[in-house]
């Protein structure tokens, strides 16, 4: 794999291959890469993705180096461009894990460097490795991906996690996506078109928290200010996951969240068997190992 910029560049076969590789790493098997150097270039805050790739590299026997985002802010007087930064380090690194607030950052990166780039989140666009670990979580928790009924909740227009997951699920079969969002915050047209073109997919829309009959609810987050304007406290709390909401899922149903959360999921839900958002830590590590392996083995 020459890098990973969008989930759409992965065929279903390719996603299945990565899921299998991640399962193998979770079971303690898989290639190691002791000679490799992984650059962590995070120009936007991150805990899980940054530390997750650092830990995944370490588990592969690889080393990491960090590109200091502070050097790229106006506080330095003359911020260095993303392009110059990547050109400067490309000869030293085997892969660049890049997060950037600009949705054009990935296109700029591959135009500037020959180093493989893994998209770790670019603005409101994509977060493909999050989608892959979400697929792995769904498969591990529910035993299948085809045929699931998933409620996506939050600002579905701006959430890159929701966008990448929906685009990934578009390649599976008979998936029902229930979009639960305040008016005006529905998924972008290209996401809805991809789902409509899927095999046997159904897309439902709700503006209230109705997860009845769903196998999983995915909490994508709801900032106070959105492109639709300022949300009231009532609008936000109406879309929180409470114990009562989680109980309305099908038997064995799960609550998923890419994190961080503010108060979108009540703390009491953490103690329920449905809460999958911390339990999937080992799967997240295994998937990031699988992604790095696929790039480093090219
Ligand atoms: N899920 C996720 O992207 O979390 P971080 O912002 O902490 O990396």
């Amino acid at each position: 794999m020459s890098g990973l910029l969008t989930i759409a560049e992965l065929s279903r076969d390719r996603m299945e291959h990565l899921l299998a590789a991640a399962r193998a790493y979770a079971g303690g098997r898989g290639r190691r890469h002791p000679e490799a150097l992984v650059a962590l270039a995070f120009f936007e805050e991150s805990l899980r993705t940054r530390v997750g790739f650092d830990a995944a590299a370490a588990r592969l026997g690889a080393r990491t180096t960090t590109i200091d985002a502070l050097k790229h802010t106006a506080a330095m007087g003359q911020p260095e461009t993303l392009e110059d930064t990547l050109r400067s380090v490309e000869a030293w690194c085997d892969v660049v894990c890049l997060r950037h607030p600009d949705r054009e950052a990935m296109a700029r990166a591959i135009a500037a460097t020959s180093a493989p780039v893994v998209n770790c989140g670019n603005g409101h666009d994509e977060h493909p490795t999050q989608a892959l670990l979400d697929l792995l979580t769904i498969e591990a928790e529910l035993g299948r991906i085809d045929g699931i009924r998933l409620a996506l909740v939050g600002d579905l227009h701006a959430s890159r996690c929701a966008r990448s997951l929906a685009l990934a699920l578009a390649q599976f079969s008979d998936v029902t996506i229930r979009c639960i969002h305040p008016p005006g915050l529905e998924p972008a047209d290209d996401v809805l078109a991809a789902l409509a073109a899927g095999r046997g997919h159904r897309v439902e829309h709700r503006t209230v928290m109705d997860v009845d009959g769903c196998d999983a609810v995915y909490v994508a987050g709801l900032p106070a200010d959105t492109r639709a304007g300022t949300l009231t406290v009532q609008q936000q709390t109406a879309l929180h996951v409470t114990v009562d909401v989680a109980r309305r899922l099908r038997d064995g149903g799960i609550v998923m969240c890419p994190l961080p959360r503010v108060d979108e999921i009540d703390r009491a839900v953490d103690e329920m068997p449905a809460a999958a958002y911390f339990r999937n830590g080992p799967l997240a590590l295994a998937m990031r190992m699988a992604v790095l392996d696929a790039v480093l083995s090219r």
Side-chain angles (χ1 to χ4, degrees):
M1 199 161 78
S2 60
L4 177 59
L5 302 180
T6 70
I7 202 74
E9 74 196 39
L10 298 178
S11 65
R12 174 167 176 164
D13 277 357
R14 193 69 205 154
M15 285 193 267
E16 300 272 18
H17 183 83
L18 287 166
L19 291 167
R23 286 195 298 272
Y25 276 120
R29 291 176 289 111
R31 273 185 296 261
R32 295 307 195 252
H33 295 273
E35 304 299 327
L37 183 63
V38 177
L40 302 175
F42 281 71
F43 299 101
E44 187 184 73
E45 278 189 32
S46 170
L47 172 67
R48 282 144 286 268
T49 314
R50 179 179 54 80
V51 179
F53 270 110
D54 206 351
R59 298 287 177 148
L60 293 173
R63 292 176 183 234
T64 55
T65 187
T66 301
I67 295 173
D68 186 353
L70 274 180
K71 193 167 184 325
H72 303 268
T73 65
M76 292 297 294
Q78 289 289 331
E80 188 166 1
T81 65
L82 176 66
E83 287 81 355
D84 284 2
T85 302
L86 295 176
R87 278 191 198 122
S88 297
V89 304
E90 67 182 6
W92 310 328
C93 305
D94 299 291
V95 54
V96 178
C97 295
L98 175 63
R99 172 172 290 191
H100 201 284
D102 178 4
R103 65 183 300 145
E104 304 305 324
M106 299 303 144
R108 290 170 56 197
I110 57 159
T113 181
S114 56
V117 174
V118 173
N119 182 354
C120 293
N122 59 321
H124 295 318
D125 187 30
E126 279 241 29
H127 197 344
T129 68
Q130 178 68 45
L132 289 167
L133 77 86
D134 289 333
L135 292 180
L136 188 62
T137 300
I138 290 168
E139 184 187 66
E141 295 278 349
L142 301 175
R144 70 196 192 289
I145 300 173
D146 290 322
I148 65 154
R149 295 170 65 95
L150 175 80
L152 279 178
V153 182
D155 182 349
L156 303 185
H157 191 83
S159 167
R160 61 191 174 206
C161 297
R163 174 179 172 80
S164 288
L165 179 57
L167 290 172
L169 288 171
Q171 301 211 43
F172 288 79
S173 299
D174 301 314
V175 172
T176 299
I177 303 276
R178 184 175 298 171
C179 300
I180 305 178
H181 54 81
L185 300 183
E186 63 280 350
D189 289 345
D190 65 320
V191 175
L192 294 173
L195 289 169
R199 276 179 300 178
H201 286 27
R202 284 166 297 281
V203 179
E204 304 168 349
H205 292 274
R206 302 278 194 282
T207 53
V208 294
M209 197 63 166
D210 168 16
V211 301
D212 287 14
C214 290
D215 300 298
V217 55
Y218 189 92
V219 182
L222 198 58
D225 294 312
T226 68
R227 72 177 181 135
T230 302
L231 298 177
T232 64
V233 172
Q234 286 81 4
Q235 278 178 306
Q236 292 181 61
T237 53
L239 295 185
H240 285 183
V241 174
T242 61
V243 169
D244 284 344
V245 169
R247 283 190 181 132
R248 298 188 78 91
L249 294 165
R250 283 184 173 173
D251 281 353
I254 56 170
V255 180
M256 300 174 66
C257 180
L259 301 169
R261 69 171 157 190
V262 182
D263 52 6
E264 305 94 322
I265 305 172
D266 283 0
R267 285 334 194 236
V269 177
D270 298 358
E271 310 309 319
M272 299 177 72
Y277 37 92
F278 292 121
R279 188 164 62 221
N280 70 353
L283 299 179
L285 179 66
M287 181 51 82
R288 291 193 170 107
M289 291 172 75
V291 169
L292 286 178
D293 171 59
V295 175
L296 295 170
S297 302
R298 75 194 185 285

